[in-house]
Amino acid sequence: GQQVMQIPQYQHVQEGEDFTTYCNSSTTLSNIQWYKQRPGGHPVFLIQLVKSGEVKKQKRLTFQFGEAKKNSSLHITATQTTDVGTYFCAGLYNFNKFYFGSGTKLNVKP
Amino acid sequence: DVKVTQSSRYLVKRTGEKVFLECVQDMDHENMFWYRQDPGLGLRLIYFSYDVKMKEKGDIPEGYSVSREKKERFSLILESASTNQTSMYLCASSLYLGGSNQPQHFGDGTRLSIL
């Protein structure tokens, strides 16, 4: 069945370093959403990408959707301790079912 | 702001018990979801509902059922709880607008332990 693979599972960076997490699907996605879950919290929506090749930015965060709509990435420039948490992608198939990636847990050392 | 409320933050039950997890949303959302979250596995969809009395199986429906009698409430039922159902359960809701699924809003989760 459809699934979304997300890598890496963990990432430890020094504050100020960059961070990237990747999601890949074997089949075309209708759209992809990104969520952040702080330790002890629940997932919070960050952004949705719909168009092929779409790139969106939120301050230090850059989100990309691949040309074939099968992969996506989230890049954080110059990480801060407030970026700590688990980042999930969620791919939508056939406009009716979401599959979440397994998440990338980011730890930022001050 | 959207509010998704789950009835319990922590719950401890015994093997074989019938367990009810309740979720209420206050934004008139059409879609509601139940996930379980386990370390290294992310969020796995158990069931979702796109309208009252409508339900669809997700990835891992075995051992679970759901009920949506009112638009604002979506219940997850463990028919006969087993220890492998010990997990964090997350409820979410979203708007369905113009043929497109909108962002999901999550509750705080219920950490369920089956002894």
Side-chain angles (χ1 to χ4, degrees):
Chain A
Q2 293 96 340
Q3 59 180 342
V4 177
M5 306 301 293
Q6 186 172 359
I7 57 168
Q9 190 172 1
Y10 301 98
Q11 186 82 57
H12 301 271
V13 300
Q14 199 72 40
E15 190 172 23
E17 291 180 341
D18 292 356
F19 159 77
T20 306
T21 174
Y22 303 89
C23 283
N24 290 287
S25 169
S26 56
T27 55
T28 303
L29 299 165
S30 304
N31 66 35
I32 194 158
Q33 297 178 349
W34 285 93
Y35 293 79
K36 177 183 178 181
Q37 185 174 24
R38 293 183 187 276
H42 57 264
V44 174
F45 174 79
L46 294 176
I47 210 158
Q48 176 166 284
L49 304 171
V50 179
K51 298 176 185 174
S52 168
E54 191 169 12
V55 178
K56 287 188 177 180
K57 292 193 175 188
Q58 288 180 349
K59 298 182 181 177
R60 294 178 294 103
L61 279 60
T62 301
F63 304 84
Q64 295 190 11
F65 201 11
E67 293 289 342
K69 299 182 74 172
K70 289 184 178 181
N71 57 74
S72 182
S73 64
L74 158 59
H75 179 83
I76 302 178
T77 303
T79 54
Q80 299 174 0
T81 53
T82 52
D83 295 325
V84 164
T86 302
Y87 293 85
F88 293 96
C89 62
L92 180 66
Y93 293 88
N94 299 323
F95 295 99
N96 71 350
K97 192 175 280 190
F98 276 103
Y99 288 87
F100 276 78
S102 54
T104 297
K105 191 172 183 178
L106 173 64
N107 188 39
V108 180
K109 291 177 284 187
Chain B
D1 265 359
V2 177
K3 185 71 175 175
V4 179
T5 304
Q6 295 185 229
S7 53
S8 305
R9 196 80 166 95
Y10 300 93
L11 205 53
V12 180
K13 295 290 182 181
R14 296 204 173 274
T15 303
E17 278 193 74
K18 190 168 186 176
V19 181
F20 293 85
L21 302 183
E22 305 287 346
C23 175
V24 177
Q25 51 96 1
D26 66 357
M27 283 302 292
D28 205 34
H29 283 174
E30 289 83 6
N31 298 335
M32 295 191 75
F33 308 83
W34 274 107
Y35 296 90
R36 62 176 284 176
Q37 183 172 23
D38 301 287
L41 297 177
L43 281 74
R44 291 181 293 166
L45 181 65
I46 304 171
Y47 268 97
F48 71 100
S49 168
Y50 52 88
D51 202 351
V52 174
K53 296 192 186 295
M54 305 302 288
K55 60 184 180 184
E56 292 273 349
K57 291 181 180 179
D59 277 342
I60 49 165
E62 297 78 20
Y64 303 94
S65 62
V66 290
S67 172
R68 192 157 180 210
E69 295 297 317
K70 294 185 178 180
K71 192 174 185 180
E72 67 270 19
R73 185 180 296 271
F74 193 34
S75 303
L76 180 69
I77 304 150
L78 285 67
E79 298 292 342
S80 177
S82 63
T83 53
N84 62 13
Q85 293 178 308
T86 290
S87 185
M88 170 68 85
Y89 289 86
L90 287 163
C91 174
S93 73
S94 73
L95 195 59
Y96 186 78
L97 190 65
S100 172
N101 284 289
Q102 299 300 302
Q104 294 184 47
H105 300 266
F106 285 84
D108 287 334
T110 296
R111 187 164 292 282
L112 175 64
S113 297
I114 307 295
L115 305 178

mmCIF file of all heavy atoms in Angstrom, chain B residues 30-70:
data_model
loop_
_atom_site.group_PDB
_atom_site.id
_atom_site.type_symbol
_atom_site.label_atom_id
_atom_site.label_comp_id
_atom_site.label_asym_id
_atom_site.label_seq_id
_atom_site.Cartn_x
_atom_site.Cartn_y
_atom_site.Cartn_z
ATOM 1 N N GLU B 30 -15.717 18.647 8.937
ATOM 2 C CA GLU B 30 -16.309 17.431 8.378
ATOM 3 C C GLU B 30 -15.475 16.193 8.717
ATOM 4 O O GLU B 30 -16.001 15.139 9.015
ATOM 5 C CB GLU B 30 -16.402 17.539 6.844
ATOM 6 C CG GLU B 30 -17.433 18.524 6.333
ATOM 7 C CD GLU B 30 -16.915 19.959 6.308
ATOM 8 O OE1 GLU B 30 -15.716 20.181 6.585
ATOM 9 O OE2 GLU B 30 -17.710 20.852 6.008
ATOM 10 N N ASN B 31 -14.147 16.346 8.613
ATOM 11 C CA ASN B 31 -13.256 15.192 8.770
ATOM 12 C C ASN B 31 -12.785 15.031 10.203
ATOM 13 O O ASN B 31 -12.414 16.009 10.859
ATOM 14 C CB ASN B 31 -12.002 15.366 7.893
ATOM 15 C CG ASN B 31 -12.314 15.444 6.424
ATOM 16 O OD1 ASN B 31 -13.334 14.947 5.968
ATOM 17 N ND2 ASN B 31 -11.422 16.068 5.684
ATOM 18 N N MET B 32 -12.775 13.801 10.665
ATOM 19 C CA MET B 32 -12.158 13.500 11.961
ATOM 20 C C MET B 32 -11.352 12.209 11.825
ATOM 21 O O MET B 32 -11.694 11.337 11.017
ATOM 22 C CB MET B 32 -13.205 13.384 13.066
ATOM 23 C CG MET B 32 -13.921 14.708 13.338
ATOM 24 S SD MET B 32 -14.943 14.718 14.818
ATOM 25 C CE MET B 32 -13.701 14.819 16.125
ATOM 26 N N PHE B 33 -10.269 12.125 12.593
ATOM 27 C CA PHE B 33 -9.294 11.054 12.447
ATOM 28 C C PHE B 33 -8.899 10.508 13.817
ATOM 29 O O PHE B 33 -8.845 11.253 14.792
ATOM 30 C CB PHE B 33 -8.006 11.580 11.790
ATOM 31 C CG PHE B 33 -8.209 12.327 10.503
ATOM 32 C CD1 PHE B 33 -8.549 13.668 10.518
ATOM 33 C CD2 PHE B 33 -8.029 11.693 9.284
ATOM 34 C CE1 PHE B 33 -8.728 14.377 9.336
ATOM 35 C CE2 PHE B 33 -8.201 12.398 8.100
ATOM 36 C CZ PHE B 33 -8.549 13.727 8.125
ATOM 37 N N TRP B 34 -8.553 9.225 13.836
ATOM 38 C CA TRP B 34 -7.896 8.631 15.001
ATOM 39 C C TRP B 34 -6.572 8.011 14.548
ATOM 40 O O TRP B 34 -6.537 7.229 13.591
ATOM 41 C CB TRP B 34 -8.751 7.549 15.659
ATOM 42 C CG TRP B 34 -9.725 8.076 16.648
ATOM 43 C CD1 TRP B 34 -11.072 8.185 16.516
ATOM 44 C CD2 TRP B 34 -9.426 8.556 17.966
ATOM 45 N NE1 TRP B 34 -11.629 8.722 17.653
ATOM 46 C CE2 TRP B 34 -10.638 8.956 18.564
ATOM 47 C CE3 TRP B 34 -8.233 8.698 18.697
ATOM 48 C CZ2 TRP B 34 -10.711 9.481 19.857
ATOM 49 C CZ3 TRP B 34 -8.312 9.214 19.978
ATOM 50 C CH2 TRP B 34 -9.547 9.597 20.559
ATOM 51 N N TYR B 35 -5.502 8.380 15.252
ATOM 52 C CA TYR B 35 -4.172 7.845 15.007
ATOM 53 C C TYR B 35 -3.640 7.220 16.296
ATOM 54 O O TYR B 35 -4.026 7.602 17.387
ATOM 55 C CB TYR B 35 -3.193 8.957 14.626
ATOM 56 C CG TYR B 35 -3.474 9.688 13.344
ATOM 57 C CD1 TYR B 35 -4.274 10.828 13.327
ATOM 58 C CD2 TYR B 35 -2.913 9.253 12.141
ATOM 59 C CE1 TYR B 35 -4.518 11.520 12.149
ATOM 60 C CE2 TYR B 35 -3.146 9.940 10.959
ATOM 61 C CZ TYR B 35 -3.944 11.069 10.978
ATOM 62 O OH TYR B 35 -4.176 11.752 9.808
ATOM 63 N N ARG B 36 -2.702 6.303 16.120
ATOM 64 C CA ARG B 36 -1.874 5.927 17.249
ATOM 65 C C ARG B 36 -0.426 6.262 16.915
ATOM 66 O O ARG B 36 -0.012 6.198 15.738
ATOM 67 C CB ARG B 36 -2.026 4.457 17.653
ATOM 68 C CG ARG B 36 -1.641 3.420 16.658
ATOM 69 C CD ARG B 36 -1.762 2.023 17.237
ATOM 70 N NE ARG B 36 -0.688 1.668 18.151
ATOM 71 C CZ ARG B 36 -0.621 0.524 18.834
ATOM 72 N NH1 ARG B 36 -1.587 -0.385 18.698
ATOM 73 N NH2 ARG B 36 0.388 0.277 19.652
ATOM 74 N N GLN B 37 0.293 6.696 17.940
ATOM 75 C CA GLN B 37 1.681 7.114 17.754
ATOM 76 C C GLN B 37 2.583 6.249 18.613
ATOM 77 O O GLN B 37 2.438 6.205 19.829
ATOM 78 C CB GLN B 37 1.852 8.588 18.131
ATOM 79 C CG GLN B 37 3.258 9.094 17.879
ATOM 80 C CD GLN B 37 3.393 10.587 18.074
ATOM 81 O OE1 GLN B 37 2.598 11.214 18.781
ATOM 82 N NE2 GLN B 37 4.390 11.174 17.440
ATOM 83 N N ASP B 38 3.511 5.581 17.960
ATOM 84 C CA ASP B 38 4.479 4.726 18.643
ATOM 85 C C ASP B 38 5.884 5.135 18.221
ATOM 86 O O ASP B 38 6.089 5.527 17.057
ATOM 87 C CB ASP B 38 4.230 3.257 18.303
ATOM 88 C CG ASP B 38 2.833 2.802 18.689
ATOM 89 O OD1 ASP B 38 2.604 2.641 19.910
ATOM 90 O OD2 ASP B 38 1.977 2.622 17.808
ATOM 91 N N PRO B 39 6.858 5.048 19.127
ATOM 92 C CA PRO B 39 8.225 5.476 18.806
ATOM 93 C C PRO B 39 8.753 4.792 17.547
ATOM 94 O O PRO B 39 8.660 3.571 17.406
ATOM 95 C CB PRO B 39 9.019 5.032 20.043
ATOM 96 C CG PRO B 39 8.011 5.001 21.139
ATOM 97 C CD PRO B 39 6.732 4.562 20.502
ATOM 98 N N GLY B 40 9.304 5.600 16.649
ATOM 99 C CA GLY B 40 9.894 5.066 15.424
ATOM 100 C C GLY B 40 8.909 4.729 14.331
ATOM 101 O O GLY B 40 9.301 4.419 13.211
ATOM 102 N N LEU B 41 7.622 4.776 14.644
ATOM 103 C CA LEU B 41 6.595 4.422 13.648
ATOM 104 C C LEU B 41 5.770 5.626 13.214
ATOM 105 O O LEU B 41 4.922 5.510 12.333
ATOM 106 C CB LEU B 41 5.669 3.333 14.202
ATOM 107 C CG LEU B 41 6.335 2.001 14.519
ATOM 108 C CD1 LEU B 41 5.328 1.032 15.136
ATOM 109 C CD2 LEU B 41 6.962 1.383 13.267
ATOM 110 N N GLY B 42 5.971 6.759 13.845
ATOM 111 C CA GLY B 42 5.196 7.930 13.476
ATOM 112 C C GLY B 42 3.739 7.799 13.847
ATOM 113 O O GLY B 42 3.381 7.109 14.808
ATOM 114 N N LEU B 43 2.896 8.446 13.071
ATOM 115 C CA LEU B 43 1.453 8.398 13.298
ATOM 116 C C LEU B 43 0.840 7.425 12.297
ATOM 117 O O LEU B 43 1.018 7.574 11.092
ATOM 118 C CB LEU B 43 0.824 9.779 13.089
ATOM 119 C CG LEU B 43 0.948 10.787 14.212
ATOM 120 C CD1 LEU B 43 2.353 11.350 14.299
ATOM 121 C CD2 LEU B 43 -0.044 11.916 14.013
ATOM 122 N N ARG B 44 0.107 6.469 12.800
ATOM 123 C CA ARG B 44 -0.559 5.509 11.934
ATOM 124 C C ARG B 44 -2.067 5.681 12.060
ATOM 125 O O ARG B 44 -2.605 5.700 13.164
ATOM 126 C CB ARG B 44 -0.134 4.085 12.288
ATOM 127 C CG ARG B 44 1.317 3.775 11.944
ATOM 128 C CD ARG B 44 1.689 2.360 12.292
ATOM 129 N NE ARG B 44 1.671 2.137 13.727
ATOM 130 C CZ ARG B 44 1.700 0.934 14.292
ATOM 131 N NH1 ARG B 44 1.701 -0.161 13.532
ATOM 132 N NH2 ARG B 44 1.712 0.815 15.611
ATOM 133 N N LEU B 45 -2.713 5.784 10.906
ATOM 134 C CA LEU B 45 -4.139 6.060 10.872
ATOM 135 C C LEU B 45 -4.932 4.804 11.189
ATOM 136 O O LEU B 45 -4.762 3.775 10.557
ATOM 137 C CB LEU B 45 -4.520 6.607 9.486
ATOM 138 C CG LEU B 45 -5.968 6.985 9.264
ATOM 139 C CD1 LEU B 45 -6.352 8.153 10.161
ATOM 140 C CD2 LEU B 45 -6.196 7.342 7.799
ATOM 141 N N ILE B 46 -5.828 4.916 12.162
ATOM 142 C CA ILE B 46 -6.667 3.774 12.552
ATOM 143 C C ILE B 46 -7.978 3.822 11.772
ATOM 144 O O ILE B 46 -8.351 2.874 11.082
ATOM 145 C CB ILE B 46 -6.952 3.788 14.067
ATOM 146 C CG1 ILE B 46 -5.633 3.817 14.851
ATOM 147 C CG2 ILE B 46 -7.768 2.575 14.472
ATOM 148 C CD1 ILE B 46 -5.811 4.046 16.350
ATOM 149 N N TYR B 47 -8.697 4.924 11.913
ATOM 150 C CA TYR B 47 -9.951 5.151 11.206
ATOM 151 C C TYR B 47 -10.094 6.641 10.943
ATOM 152 O O TYR B 47 -9.536 7.464 11.667
ATOM 153 C CB TYR B 47 -11.151 4.723 12.069
ATOM 154 C CG TYR B 47 -11.622 3.308 11.886
ATOM 155 C CD1 TYR B 47 -11.196 2.312 12.756
ATOM 156 C CD2 TYR B 47 -12.501 2.965 10.872
ATOM 157 C CE1 TYR B 47 -11.636 1.001 12.616
ATOM 158 C CE2 TYR B 47 -12.959 1.659 10.716
ATOM 159 C CZ TYR B 47 -12.518 0.683 11.599
ATOM 160 O OH TYR B 47 -12.954 -0.611 11.447
ATOM 161 N N PHE B 48 -10.852 6.978 9.920
ATOM 162 C CA PHE B 48 -11.266 8.359 9.778
ATOM 163 C C PHE B 48 -12.719 8.422 9.338
ATOM 164 O O PHE B 48 -13.302 7.427 8.895
ATOM 165 C CB PHE B 48 -10.342 9.129 8.825
ATOM 166 C CG PHE B 48 -10.455 8.766 7.374
ATOM 167 C CD1 PHE B 48 -11.188 9.540 6.497
ATOM 168 C CD2 PHE B 48 -9.777 7.662 6.869
ATOM 169 C CE1 PHE B 48 -11.263 9.228 5.155
ATOM 170 C CE2 PHE B 48 -9.846 7.340 5.525
ATOM 171 C CZ PHE B 48 -10.590 8.123 4.678
ATOM 172 N N SER B 49 -13.289 9.615 9.497
ATOM 173 C CA SER B 49 -14.696 9.828 9.179
ATOM 174 C C SER B 49 -14.825 11.157 8.462
ATOM 175 O O SER B 49 -14.255 12.160 8.894
ATOM 176 C CB SER B 49 -15.526 9.850 10.468
ATOM 177 O OG SER B 49 -16.839 10.313 10.218
ATOM 178 N N TYR B 50 -15.559 11.162 7.359
ATOM 179 C CA TYR B 50 -15.719 12.404 6.609
ATOM 180 C C TYR B 50 -17.129 12.980 6.735
ATOM 181 O O TYR B 50 -17.471 13.977 6.116
ATOM 182 C CB TYR B 50 -15.349 12.209 5.139
ATOM 183 C CG TYR B 50 -16.028 11.056 4.474
ATOM 184 C CD1 TYR B 50 -17.270 11.193 3.866
ATOM 185 C CD2 TYR B 50 -15.430 9.795 4.468
ATOM 186 C CE1 TYR B 50 -17.900 10.119 3.271
ATOM 187 C CE2 TYR B 50 -16.056 8.713 3.882
ATOM 188 C CZ TYR B 50 -17.289 8.882 3.271
ATOM 189 O OH TYR B 50 -17.902 7.805 2.688
ATOM 190 N N ASP B 51 -17.965 12.304 7.529
ATOM 191 C CA ASP B 51 -19.305 12.826 7.760
ATOM 192 C C ASP B 51 -19.939 12.004 8.883
ATOM 193 O O ASP B 51 -19.460 10.915 9.225
ATOM 194 C CB ASP B 51 -20.144 12.719 6.488
ATOM 195 C CG ASP B 51 -21.324 13.672 6.464
ATOM 196 O OD1 ASP B 51 -21.608 14.311 7.505
ATOM 197 O OD2 ASP B 51 -21.971 13.793 5.404
ATOM 198 N N VAL B 52 -21.042 12.512 9.389
ATOM 199 C CA VAL B 52 -21.750 11.786 10.450
ATOM 200 C C VAL B 52 -22.129 10.402 9.944
ATOM 201 O O VAL B 52 -22.573 10.236 8.802
ATOM 202 C CB VAL B 52 -23.005 12.568 10.871
ATOM 203 C CG1 VAL B 52 -23.831 11.768 11.873
ATOM 204 C CG2 VAL B 52 -22.622 13.906 11.462
ATOM 205 N N LYS B 53 -21.909 9.403 10.782
ATOM 206 C CA LYS B 53 -22.223 8.002 10.515
ATOM 207 C C LYS B 53 -21.387 7.396 9.392
ATOM 208 O O LYS B 53 -21.602 6.247 9.008
ATOM 209 C CB LYS B 53 -23.714 7.805 10.224
ATOM 210 C CG LYS B 53 -24.613 8.156 11.407
ATOM 211 C CD LYS B 53 -26.038 7.679 11.187
ATOM 212 C CE LYS B 53 -26.972 8.157 12.291
ATOM 213 N NZ LYS B 53 -26.635 7.569 13.588
ATOM 214 N N MET B 54 -20.429 8.146 8.853
ATOM 215 C CA MET B 54 -19.557 7.611 7.811
ATOM 216 C C MET B 54 -18.192 7.312 8.423
ATOM 217 O O MET B 54 -17.707 8.079 9.258
ATOM 218 C CB MET B 54 -19.400 8.617 6.671
ATOM 219 C CG MET B 54 -20.710 9.075 6.064
ATOM 220 S SD MET B 54 -21.716 7.730 5.424
ATOM 221 C CE MET B 54 -20.797 7.269 3.960
ATOM 222 N N LYS B 55 -17.572 6.213 7.996
ATOM 223 C CA LYS B 55 -16.244 5.881 8.482
ATOM 224 C C LYS B 55 -15.482 5.125 7.404
ATOM 225 O O LYS B 55 -16.081 4.447 6.562
ATOM 226 C CB LYS B 55 -16.337 5.028 9.751
ATOM 227 C CG LYS B 55 -17.056 3.713 9.570
ATOM 228 C CD LYS B 55 -17.207 2.967 10.876
ATOM 229 C CE LYS B 55 -17.947 1.652 10.663
ATOM 230 N NZ LYS B 55 -18.201 0.935 11.930
ATOM 231 N N GLU B 56 -14.174 5.270 7.481
ATOM 232 C CA GLU B 56 -13.292 4.574 6.550
ATOM 233 C C GLU B 56 -12.154 3.967 7.343
ATOM 234 O O GLU B 56 -11.633 4.610 8.258
ATOM 235 C CB GLU B 56 -12.707 5.543 5.518
ATOM 236 C CG GLU B 56 -13.699 6.104 4.541
ATOM 237 C CD GLU B 56 -13.894 5.204 3.330
ATOM 238 O OE1 GLU B 56 -13.105 4.265 3.160
ATOM 239 O OE2 GLU B 56 -14.845 5.453 2.570
ATOM 240 N N LYS B 57 -11.731 2.768 6.981
ATOM 241 C CA LYS B 57 -10.588 2.151 7.651
ATOM 242 C C LYS B 57 -9.304 2.835 7.226
ATOM 243 O O LYS B 57 -9.140 3.216 6.077
ATOM 244 C CB LYS B 57 -10.522 0.665 7.299
ATOM 245 C CG LYS B 57 -11.652 -0.152 7.884
ATOM 246 C CD LYS B 57 -11.502 -1.614 7.504
ATOM 247 C CE LYS B 57 -12.649 -2.445 8.100
ATOM 248 N NZ LYS B 57 -12.545 -3.870 7.717
ATOM 249 N N GLY B 58 -8.414 2.947 8.197
ATOM 250 C CA GLY B 58 -7.082 3.444 7.907
ATOM 251 C C GLY B 58 -6.120 2.288 7.726
ATOM 252 O O GLY B 58 -6.499 1.227 7.241
ATOM 253 N N ASP B 59 -4.880 2.489 8.162
ATOM 254 C CA ASP B 59 -3.849 1.464 8.005
ATOM 255 C C ASP B 59 -3.984 0.306 8.957
ATOM 256 O O ASP B 59 -3.679 -0.835 8.624
ATOM 257 C CB ASP B 59 -2.474 2.094 8.277
ATOM 258 C CG ASP B 59 -1.954 2.798 7.066
ATOM 259 O OD1 ASP B 59 -2.459 2.521 5.968
ATOM 260 O OD2 ASP B 59 -1.031 3.617 7.225
ATOM 261 N N ILE B 60 -4.435 0.573 10.173
ATOM 262 C CA ILE B 60 -4.405 -0.446 11.235
ATOM 263 C C ILE B 60 -5.731 -0.501 11.989
ATOM 264 O O ILE B 60 -5.794 -0.275 13.188
ATOM 265 C CB ILE B 60 -3.246 -0.184 12.221
ATOM 266 C CG1 ILE B 60 -3.232 1.283 12.699
ATOM 267 C CG2 ILE B 60 -1.901 -0.499 11.570
ATOM 268 C CD1 ILE B 60 -2.366 1.520 13.915
ATOM 269 N N PRO B 61 -6.830 -0.874 11.325
ATOM 270 C CA PRO B 61 -8.134 -0.868 11.993
ATOM 271 C C PRO B 61 -8.413 -2.081 12.881
ATOM 272 O O PRO B 61 -9.349 -2.064 13.677
ATOM 273 C CB PRO B 61 -9.096 -0.845 10.811
ATOM 274 C CG PRO B 61 -8.362 -1.582 9.736
ATOM 275 C CD PRO B 61 -6.897 -1.244 9.922
ATOM 276 N N GLU B 62 -7.570 -3.115 12.755
ATOM 277 C CA GLU B 62 -7.873 -4.374 13.461
ATOM 278 C C GLU B 62 -7.888 -4.145 14.973
ATOM 279 O O GLU B 62 -6.957 -3.585 15.540
ATOM 280 C CB GLU B 62 -6.846 -5.450 13.103
ATOM 281 C CG GLU B 62 -6.838 -5.856 11.637
ATOM 282 C CD GLU B 62 -6.128 -4.846 10.739
ATOM 283 O OE1 GLU B 62 -5.317 -4.035 11.265
ATOM 284 O OE2 GLU B 62 -6.378 -4.860 9.531
ATOM 285 N N GLY B 63 -8.944 -4.621 15.615
ATOM 286 C CA GLY B 63 -9.078 -4.499 17.067
ATOM 287 C C GLY B 63 -9.746 -3.210 17.513
ATOM 288 O O GLY B 63 -9.922 -2.984 18.705
ATOM 289 N N TYR B 64 -10.082 -2.353 16.537
ATOM 290 C CA TYR B 64 -10.703 -1.062 16.840
ATOM 291 C C TYR B 64 -12.017 -0.913 16.073
ATOM 292 O O TYR B 64 -12.200 -1.512 15.023
ATOM 293 C CB TYR B 64 -9.787 0.091 16.428
ATOM 294 C CG TYR B 64 -8.418 0.087 17.036
ATOM 295 C CD1 TYR B 64 -7.341 -0.498 16.356
ATOM 296 C CD2 TYR B 64 -8.189 0.670 18.270
ATOM 297 C CE1 TYR B 64 -6.067 -0.498 16.901
ATOM 298 C CE2 TYR B 64 -6.908 0.678 18.826
ATOM 299 C CZ TYR B 64 -5.860 0.099 18.136
ATOM 300 O OH TYR B 64 -4.612 0.103 18.678
ATOM 301 N N SER B 65 -12.891 -0.095 16.609
ATOM 302 C CA SER B 65 -14.047 0.370 15.863
ATOM 303 C C SER B 65 -14.261 1.831 16.231
ATOM 304 O O SER B 65 -13.607 2.355 17.146
ATOM 305 C CB SER B 65 -15.304 -0.463 16.194
ATOM 306 O OG SER B 65 -15.631 -0.333 17.569
ATOM 307 N N VAL B 66 -15.122 2.507 15.484
ATOM 308 C CA VAL B 66 -15.362 3.925 15.718
ATOM 309 C C VAL B 66 -16.852 4.212 15.636
ATOM 310 O O VAL B 66 -17.637 3.425 15.108
ATOM 311 C CB VAL B 66 -14.609 4.826 14.712
ATOM 312 C CG1 VAL B 66 -13.109 4.795 14.959
ATOM 313 C CG2 VAL B 66 -14.950 4.443 13.288
ATOM 314 N N SER B 67 -17.204 5.366 16.173
ATOM 315 C CA SER B 67 -18.588 5.811 16.130
ATOM 316 C C SER B 67 -18.622 7.306 15.928
ATOM 317 O O SER B 67 -17.892 8.050 16.596
ATOM 318 C CB SER B 67 -19.285 5.454 17.442
ATOM 319 O OG SER B 67 -20.573 6.039 17.505
ATOM 320 N N ARG B 68 -19.461 7.742 14.971
ATOM 321 C CA ARG B 68 -19.649 9.185 14.786
ATOM 322 C C ARG B 68 -21.139 9.448 14.629
ATOM 323 O O ARG B 68 -21.674 9.479 13.529
ATOM 324 C CB ARG B 68 -18.876 9.691 13.575
ATOM 325 C CG ARG B 68 -18.831 11.228 13.554
ATOM 326 C CD ARG B 68 -17.709 11.741 12.784
ATOM 327 N NE ARG B 68 -17.678 13.195 12.776
ATOM 328 C CZ ARG B 68 -17.187 13.897 11.778
ATOM 329 N NH1 ARG B 68 -16.702 13.288 10.707
ATOM 330 N NH2 ARG B 68 -17.171 15.215 11.852
ATOM 331 N N GLU B 69 -21.785 9.640 15.740
ATOM 332 C CA GLU B 69 -23.228 9.894 15.761
ATOM 333 C C GLU B 69 -23.542 11.386 15.595
ATOM 334 O O GLU B 69 -24.624 11.746 15.119
ATOM 335 C CB GLU B 69 -23.826 9.371 17.068
ATOM 336 C CG GLU B 69 -23.726 7.861 17.221
ATOM 337 C CD GLU B 69 -24.508 7.127 16.153
ATOM 338 O OE1 GLU B 69 -25.655 7.535 15.845
ATOM 339 O OE2 GLU B 69 -23.996 6.121 15.602
ATOM 340 N N LYS B 70 -22.606 12.225 16.025
ATOM 341 C CA LYS B 70 -22.757 13.672 15.868
ATOM 342 C C LYS B 70 -21.507 14.224 15.203
ATOM 343 O O LYS B 70 -20.411 13.668 15.357
ATOM 344 C CB LYS B 70 -22.961 14.342 17.224
ATOM 345 C CG LYS B 70 -24.263 13.974 17.907
ATOM 346 C CD LYS B 70 -24.439 14.762 19.182
ATOM 347 C CE LYS B 70 -25.773 14.421 19.845
ATOM 348 N NZ LYS B 70 -25.980 15.186 21.101
#
